[in-house]
Amino acid sequence: MISTLEVIKAGILTTVQDIPGRNGLRKYGIPTSGALDTHHAELANWLVGNPMDSPLLEITLGNAEFRFTKETVIGVTGGVAPIYVGDRPVQPNRNINIKPGEFLRIERLTKGARMYLSVAGDWKLRKELGSYSTYRTAELGGLNGRELKTGDRIEVDISGVEFTERTTPEELIPHYSHHQKIRVMAGPEWKWLTDKEQEKILELRFGISSTSNRMGLRLKNKMALSIQDSEFSSVPVVPGIVQLPPGGNPIVLM
């Protein structure tokens, strides 16, 4: 039996992603892609009983709405936002039985940046280079290699799907805060900063710029840093590396 997920409102950026994305292809210029928040993506698939590498929707900042044509089971995890099935408020981090024709509405996130929507069953999408994940630059994966738009439809084979209540254990739900302290480690170019600048960058409070995207989080602060005017050859990078451009506002690679 096929159920169709219909996109009524796609929000600012909703894409199909999976875990772990594409591996071993960076030497060809193909990034990993995949879910940014693998913890919540795994929880979403667990809630509906899907394999961990199943595709699901990554919804950035909320403001999204979907309709389901058949009765099925969904899971919603991630940031904090009001969620409704029809006019009925529902809680995230537990599976939800959806009736035919019902609408799921995720309002704007108040904490966190992304939510994950899983649908029980076999998604009728094609893997490209070993992954369902959307890589928009090369138009790979997902639905035609792009973000979802109003009117898009994704078919899911729900044969054999049954609703058995599942709830995410409390200890696996992260605490969200508007202020976080993160651990960093010195890289090879750390010494390019003077002792004073090293101390300054570790004491500053940074915000996240609206120019951030899935590739990198651009940080901003009110006190620009000066670094030594050094040049070096291009080097490989991995997620988590913090780049420090001359302007002094770091970029955290995602």
Side-chain angles (χ1 to χ4, degrees), residues 4-250:
T4 302
L5 183 161
E6 300 178 348
V7 180
I8 307 302
K9 185 178 180 182
I12 188 172
L13 178 63
T14 297
T15 57
V16 175
Q17 301 294 339
D18 67 8
I19 307 168
R22 298 177 180 88
N23 292 297
L25 298 175
R26 286 184 187 150
K27 59 186 177 183
Y28 304 117
I30 303 296
T32 302
S33 304
L36 279 178
D37 184 347
T38 55
H39 175 72
H40 278 114
E42 288 177 346
L43 288 177
N45 275 329
W46 175 80
L47 284 173
V48 300
N50 282 352
M52 288 297 104
D53 60 350
S54 297
L56 74 175
L57 298 189
E58 180 179 272
I59 303 163
T60 302
L61 299 180
N63 283 331
E65 187 172 358
F66 310 93
R67 178 180 177 272
F68 302 86
T69 61
K70 296 284 196 304
E71 181 172 357
T72 190
V73 181
I74 67 169
V76 182
T77 62
V80 178
I83 306 172
Y84 296 88
V85 171
D87 295 325
R88 181 178 86 253
V90 295
Q91 296 299 314
N93 296 306
R94 62 185 61 190
N95 56 358
I96 303 166
N97 196 39
I98 295 287
K99 302 299 182 183
E102 282 193 319
F103 291 80
L104 170 74
R105 186 172 82 255
I106 299 174
E107 296 192 350
R108 183 171 179 82
L109 270 69
T110 57
K111 291 183 179 179
R114 293 170 182 85
M115 299 196 83
Y116 290 88
L117 170 62
S118 58
V119 180
D122 180 17
W123 292 45
K124 295 306 175 182
L125 296 173
R126 182 167 57 91
K127 282 187 175 183
E128 294 188 280
L129 298 181
S131 173
Y132 296 104
S133 292
T134 305
Y135 174 39
R136 294 185 296 161
T137 302
E139 298 182 352
L140 286 174
L143 189 66
N144 303 320
R146 58 167 173 79
E147 68 274 20
L148 297 188
K149 300 177 181 179
T150 298
D152 282 340
R153 299 162 63 93
I154 297 175
E155 293 186 342
V156 182
D157 187 344
I158 58 172
S159 303
V161 171
E162 296 182 359
F163 178 75
T164 302
E165 187 172 346
R166 282 191 176 187
T167 302
T168 303
E170 190 71 27
E171 63 270 19
L172 295 182
I173 302 175
H175 169 71
Y176 284 97
S177 171
H178 293 296
H179 300 94
Q180 296 280 3
K181 182 180 290 186
I182 62 173
R183 183 171 68 96
V184 296
M185 295 174 286
E189 294 79 39
W190 179 247
K191 60 182 180 295
W192 290 3
L193 294 170
T194 65
D195 291 344
K196 183 177 181 180
E197 296 290 351
Q198 290 178 4
E199 183 178 346
K200 184 190 296 183
I201 196 172
L202 293 176
E203 291 180 349
L204 285 175
R205 176 175 291 180
F206 293 93
I208 298 178
S209 169
S210 61
T211 59
S212 300
N213 56 28
R214 280 178 48 89
M215 184 175 292
L217 293 180
R218 293 180 178 271
L219 306 185
K220 59 183 180 180
N221 66 82
K222 296 181 179 180
M223 187 183 301
L225 296 166
S226 59
I227 64 175
Q228 299 179 32
D229 187 16
S230 300
E231 294 290 337
F232 63 100
S233 300
S234 178
V235 296
V237 294
V238 295
I241 280 183
V242 182
Q243 296 180 330
L244 186 60
N249 291 315

